[in-house]
């Protein structure tokens, strides 16, 4: 029965509770974390799970987004439906306060991703200037491709020279003052989206300028029109995407384009016989050096009685190293403290973002050294070693040495490592995927994917992303939604802590295909495997496409699918899901997903329910203007159903329009 309207974007979330069992501190389904939680309870070590419980119930005003404290006349809260109590002291109504708060979150997200990208850019720049001798251009192919897209000449030029021009364009993207769009972002977009963003006035011209403008726009006594505010937020989210794309592409050039690689995940990868160093945060610039240093320092580790140095990753630094180096992924955000509780972690080297301030307090119960490395991220009690691109290898060796020294102070009584580790295959950059598809169709590789959708073998593609949020047990929603999607023949690509959840549970392996994939997905993956005998391992149930900045890889894939199908993004059967969204970065990512024309499921309600107007803009007006919309749903089964409905609607419409264009020999309709 064809469905003529996609109802998902008008639906309210189900009545499922927003917080499951608020007083229960057993808030994870990760087996490794559960084992460590017992240790924490026995030893009375406080963790994030205890603090979550202690915070319940959380503030109702904050939850609805109607608390304002952006000026010293506040804090103001919207207390009543009507009268003076329904506004802040200055007269700001609920829709102004809610949208301002939301937009400031997007600005925070854009600033975070872009700061990460800026650091990679500084490193690239130092390298081309000859000031960072420990770095090199690992992928000239990626450099040439990117340079061509940016209009930089590559003919008869040295790679260093080309890269210099590319870094200059990236710097301009941060601080351009002329009225020209972000060059990196523009090079990523298909023409229809470029025009859409231009006509709706949301195309950013500089990243720093946009974030600053948003802070100014949302200051006391400035913009109070919710539509104008939200459109400002969309511009901010697009500058976030521009920053992400700079981060991903420059990291690929410096550290290599990921290719399929075998590794393992969960806390069992911490090895009692080795010096164990966790690299935690987001930025590969430092951690890549730590990996290289560790490989060179085995003898030093042996001198203190260890067999070698074992680097394990946490959060997105972990994802970056897993994708390119096959480094073990120890754990993801909500269970970061658990890595220390094993008693066998000698050092945790952190860079930026998603690092709980509590890791230092937990580390003080053990011999573990916490080392901060970036000027904008320090922790009282932790050691700080400023990391410089100029002295990268020297700095990295210092860090490894701190861990080797700490190893001597290990207390064997306190070691308790969960016996939980799972094989996985990661490393699916768009280049790697295209290469795999090209073995079936060398001229139009992406048609292998779009044809499988058009002929019904696959239902579509879903990009699973985002964090852990303890309103429901850690990882539960990621895993439940994933299982439902793959059972229904959806090809899943994953990033960030969603990829982490899937990997830790053993679902990112070829073995999981037989256990969980529907017949269509199974046969699709088998066909790819048979056409690719060069792969040393089978294909996994889920394609890991990287860290959170690598959500730009997903957008790159959507653009390729839209191009192949000859339609704008809102007709492509591609959706995104952040089942446990937490960070401001996730708010920015979700928003650019919607602007890009995708249905975006979010499983942790953002603070917008205090304003029907803002809720309506995110779920309905966004769809009218951009073709994408948020689907807010906390209950995982219900969420999976809504995501599948959104894909089904798109596939149905795409087929109808395709058939019509073939029958009447006309261009395929571009509307949605
Ligand atoms: O950038 S998924 S908790 S680790 S914010 Fe953080 Fe969220 Fe994890 Fe990576 Ni992304
Ligand atoms: Fe209150 Fe207005 Fe100040 Fe916000 S900006 S704190 S609503 S007076």
């Amino acid at each position: 029965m064809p469905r003529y309207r996609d109802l998902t974007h008008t639906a309210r979330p189900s009545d499922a509770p927003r917080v499951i069992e608020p007083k229960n501190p057993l808030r994870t389904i990760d087996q490794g974390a559960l084992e460590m939680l017992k240790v924490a309870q026995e030893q009375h070590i406080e963790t994030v799970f205890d603090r979550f419980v202690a915070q319940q119930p959380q503030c109702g005003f904050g939850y609805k987004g109607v608390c304002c404290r952006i000026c010293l006349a506040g804090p103001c809260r919207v207390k009543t439906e009507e009268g003076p109590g329904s506004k802040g002291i200055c007269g700001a109504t609920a829709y102004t306060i809610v949208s301002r708060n939301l937009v400031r979150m997007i600005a925070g997200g854009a600033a975070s991703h872009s700061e990460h990208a800026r650091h990679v850019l500084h490193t690239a720049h130092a390298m081309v200037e000859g000031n960072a001798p420990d770095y090199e251009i690992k992928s000239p192919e990626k450099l040439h491709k990117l340079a061509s897209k940016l209009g930089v000449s590559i003919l008869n030029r040295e790679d260093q020279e080309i890269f210099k021009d590319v870094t200059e364009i990236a710097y301009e993207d941060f601080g351009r003052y002329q009225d020209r769009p972000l060059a990196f972002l523009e090079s990523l977009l298909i023409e229809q989206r470029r025009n859409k963003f231009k006509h709706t006035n949301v195309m950013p011209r500089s990243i720093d300028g946009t974030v600053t403008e948003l802070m100014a726009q949302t200051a006391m006594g400035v913009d109070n029109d919710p539509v104008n505010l939200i459109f400002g937020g969309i511009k901010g989210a697009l500058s976030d995407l521009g920053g992400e794309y700079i981060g991903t592409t420059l990291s690929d050039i410096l550290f290599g384009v990921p290719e399929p690689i075998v590794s393992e995940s969960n806390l069992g990868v911490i090895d009692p016989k080795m010096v164990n160093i966790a690299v935690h945060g987001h930025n590969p610039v430092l951690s890549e050096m730590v990996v290289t240093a560790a490989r060179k320092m085995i003898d030093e580790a042996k001198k203190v009685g260890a067999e070698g140095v074992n680097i394990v990753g946490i959060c997105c630094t972990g994802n970056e190293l897993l994708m390119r180096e096959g480094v073990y992924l120890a754990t993801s955000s909500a269970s970061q403290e658990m890595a220390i509780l094993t008693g066998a972690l000698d050092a945790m080297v952190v860079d930026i973002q998603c690092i709980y301030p509590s890791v230092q307090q937990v580390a003080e119960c053990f011999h573990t050294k916490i080392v901060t490395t970036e000027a904008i991220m320090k922790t009282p009690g932790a050691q700080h070693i400023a990391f410089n691109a100029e002295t990268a290898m020297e700095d990295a060796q210092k860090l490894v040495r701190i861990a080797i020294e700490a190893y001597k102070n290990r207390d064997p009584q306190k070691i308790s490592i969960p016996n939980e580790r799972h094989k996985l295959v990661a490393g699916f950059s768009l280049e790697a995927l295209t290469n795999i598809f090209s073995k079936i169709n060398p001229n139009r590789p992406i048609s292998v994917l779009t044809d499988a959708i058009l002929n019904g073998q696959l239902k579509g593609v879903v990009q699973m992303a985002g964090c852990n949020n303890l309103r429901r047990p850690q990882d539960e929603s990621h895993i439940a939604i994933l299982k439902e999607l793959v059972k229904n023949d959806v090809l899943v690509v994953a990033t960030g802590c969603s990829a982490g959840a899937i990997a830790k549970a053993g679902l990112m392996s070829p073995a999981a295909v037989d256990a969980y994939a529907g017949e269509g997905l199974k046969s699709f993956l088998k066909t790819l495997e048979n056409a690719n005998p060069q792969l040393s391992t089978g294909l996994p149930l889920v394609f890991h496409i990287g860290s959170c900045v690598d959500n730009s890889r997903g957008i790159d894939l959507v653009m390729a699918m839209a191009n192949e199908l000859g339609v704008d993004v809102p007709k492509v059967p591609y959706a995104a899901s952040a089942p446990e969204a937490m960070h401001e970065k996730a708010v920015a990512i979700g928003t650019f997903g919607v602007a890009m024309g995708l249905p975006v499921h979010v499983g942790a309600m953002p603070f917008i329910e205090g304003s029907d107007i803002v809720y309506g803009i995110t779920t309905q007006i966004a769809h009218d203007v951009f073709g994408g919309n948020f689907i807010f749903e906390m209950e995982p089964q219900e969420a999976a159903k809504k995501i599948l409905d959104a894909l089904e609607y798109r596939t149905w419409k795409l087929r109808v329009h395709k058939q019509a264009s073939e029958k009447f020999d006309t261009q395929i309709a571009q509307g949605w």
Side-chain angles (χ1 to χ4, degrees), residues 68-76 87-92 97 100 219-221:
C68 183
R69 41 169 207 81
I70 62 168
C71 90
L72 292 178
C76 300
K87 302 182 191 86
I89 292 168
C90 65
I97 296 174
R100 263 192 324 218
M220 189 272 159

Side-chain angles (χ1 to χ4, degrees), residues 113 282 315-316 333 354 466-468 496-497 548 582-583 585:
H113 278 140
H282 286 77
C315 285
C316 284
S333 83
C354 304
C467 328
N468 284 139
C497 289
C548 279
M582 173 273 291
H583 205 279
K585 293 177 285 174

Side-chain angles (χ1 to χ4, degrees), residues 139-154:
S139 178
E141 300 81 24
K142 181 105 185 187
L143 171 64
H144 296 170
K145 204 173 134 210
L146 178 67
S148 306
K149 278 170 82 176
L150 292 168
V152 171
S153 163
I154 57 171

